[in-house]
Amino acid sequence: MNSNPTIWRATVLTLFPDMFPGPLGVSLAGKALSSGVWALDARDIRDSATDRHRSVDDTPAGGGPGMVLRADVLAAAIDAAESAADAPKHRPRLLMSPRGRPLTQSGVIELAVGPGPLIVCGRFEGIDQRVIEARGLEEVSVGDYVLSGGEIAAMALIDACVRLLPGVMGKLASGVEESFSGGLLEYPQYTRPQTFEGRPIPEVLTSGDHARVAAWRQAEAEALTRQRRPDLWAPRESRKGCRMPPKSTTDG
Ligand code: ADE
């Protein structure tokens, strides 16, 4: 475990700490983790249970199916994580949940430039609402579908942040980020062979004309975004409509 208090750190509270680092331990994120660019603490919520059976959940007040994670146990787990010597101060406290605010690239950038979040992974039918309020947990969703717990969602969030940290992706990061943060989907890519199953690489990409290549890529990115993600495209169009008229030369 890396105890350097100055590096970007994700602290994950989970009932399944063995799921971590999982995919975050390989490839770019994994190399950066072992070389100390970032740190990961997966903490077992069950360690904060107080009874002899180490129980963390109970039946829902008002009845209904499933079990609810107890407020007192989770609050104790959060407080213990935050009082650890290497824990960053003033970090976002997130709860992975399908009812949360959808995670976006601008949200990821905001998290990546900060000290790194504390992330609670839900399981069971839910979490006692009082701990969400009492500890100011910000609910975050990775999509409109339901996973069996917050762990995989937390991994997606951490992966998206870590690849933006200085030294993780080298030169690639800035270019790729601009393309998505600019609100467009990425243009299609090609490499050798020149012809694959009768399909050639688009001529412009082998022309050596950098301006034409850039214009083609921009047009492809725009067309893809318009077709596949009208929700991303529409705000761009309406922003265009709202542009201030050019300043007249006779204006003061
Ligand atoms: N936990 C279960 N489903 C989830 C989702 N879609 N996003 C975040 N956390 C979740």
Side-chain angles (χ1 to χ4, degrees):
M1 206 192 261
N2 191 321
S3 60
N4 182 343
T6 62
I7 57 176
W8 193 92
R9 175 177 300 269
T11 299
V12 181
L13 301 186
T14 168
L15 290 166
F16 300 96
D18 293 349
M19 286 174 79
F20 292 85
L24 298 170
V26 298
S27 190
L28 289 176
K31 280 195 199 112
L33 181 59
S34 29
S35 64
V37 174
W38 67 290
L40 174 67
D41 311 319
R43 300 174 68 108
D44 194 342
I45 295 170
R46 204 172 287 282
D47 290 346
S48 296
T50 49
D51 66 345
R52 173 165 86 78
H53 304 290
R54 303 213 325 143
S55 51
V56 293
D57 58 337
D58 212 327
T59 53
M67 299 292 271
V68 176
L69 198 52
R70 286 172 55 134
D72 54 348
V73 175
L74 184 54
I78 294 170
D79 296 346
E82 292 197 332
S83 59
D86 50 6
K89 304 289 168 239
H90 312 297
R91 59 203 311 214
R93 292 179 187 151
L94 311 180
L95 167 62
M96 302 317 295
S97 156
R99 69 176 198 186
R101 182 143 56 101
L103 184 65
T104 61
Q105 189 63 18
S106 55
V108 166
I109 293 170
E110 214 173 289
L111 288 170
V113 298
L118 176 133
I119 307 174
V120 176
C121 299
R123 283 263 156 184
F124 314 111
E125 292 312 300
I127 289 183
D128 190 308
Q129 181 66 24
R130 294 169 296 177
V131 68
I132 299 177
E133 292 164 13
R135 293 297 179 273
L137 301 182
E138 200 185 318
E139 296 182 63
V140 178
S141 164
V142 295
D144 288 340
Y145 43 81
V146 182
L147 300 166
S148 48
E151 287 77 8
I152 291 174
M155 286 174 197
L157 179 149
I158 295 168
D159 181 80
C161 291
V162 164
R163 61 188 285 283
L164 301 182
L165 299 177
V168 175
M169 281 200 21
K171 271 202 223 153
L172 243 171
S174 51
V176 172
E177 280 330 302
E178 269 167 27
S179 103
F180 196 75
S181 310
L184 292 177
L185 301 185
E186 246 211 292
Y187 51 78
Q189 296 277 17
Y190 300 85
T191 185
R192 280 191 284 265
Q194 171 62 37
T195 301
F196 167 68
E197 295 185 354
R199 298 159 192 261
I201 294 176
E203 177 275 329
V204 55
L205 297 180
T206 50
S207 67
D209 182 337
H210 298 306
R212 270 183 72 212
V213 169
W216 181 89
R217 285 177 167 167
Q218 177 71 19
E220 289 287 317
E222 289 182 3
L224 271 177
T225 309
R226 208 169 42 233
Q227 284 159 16
R228 294 187 183 174
R229 295 293 303 272
D231 58 316
L232 294 179
W233 184 252
R236 297 173 65 87
E237 287 298 281
S238 55
R239 270 202 302 277
K240 264 195 215 161
C242 295
R243 276 207 192 120
M244 297 285 282
K247 218 172 180 224
S248 137
T249 49
T250 56
D251 284 353

